[in-house]
Amino acid sequence: NGSELYIADSEDISIRAINFAKYPVKTIFGTGDFNAFGDVDGGGFVVRLQHCLGVEKANNFLWVADSYKQKIKLVK
């Protein structure tokens, strides 16, 4: 809808969203815990990333560039 900005937070190994209409910043994927890294697919706080550097929304999904795993990860 254009009201959210997605951010790949590589230091906290998470994907964050800023909803300009409702909330300042929220974690939507990953734990936000630097020690909880890995390579687990899925959604929400189950997802484990290694060192995410980019995020793109396409086809109603978020695609994450996870550099240490050298892959593009689809998160739901």
Side-chain angles (χ1 to χ4, degrees):
N1 63 13
S3 65
E4 284 190 319
L5 173 67
Y6 299 101
I7 301 165
D9 188 341
S10 58
E11 295 305 313
D12 280 333
I13 313 169
S14 61
I15 302 300
R16 306 206 191 268
I18 301 171
N19 184 316
F20 296 108
K22 297 180 182 178
Y23 310 106
V25 178
K26 65 180 177 177
T27 300
I28 57 172
F29 295 107
T31 63
D33 177 0
F34 184 76
N35 295 312
F37 59 88
D39 187 18
V40 177
D41 296 327
F45 300 115
V46 173
V47 170
R48 294 293 180 266
L49 305 166
Q50 185 70 33
H51 194 256
C52 51
L53 290 179
V55 61
E56 174 73 27
K57 184 173 183 178
N59 298 325
N60 292 322
F61 294 105
L62 291 180
W63 301 84
V64 178
D66 201 4
S67 66
Y68 288 179
K69 296 295 179 186
Q70 299 178 353
K71 68 189 280 187
I72 302 295
K73 181 182 283 281
L74 170 65
V75 293
K76 305 173 188 177

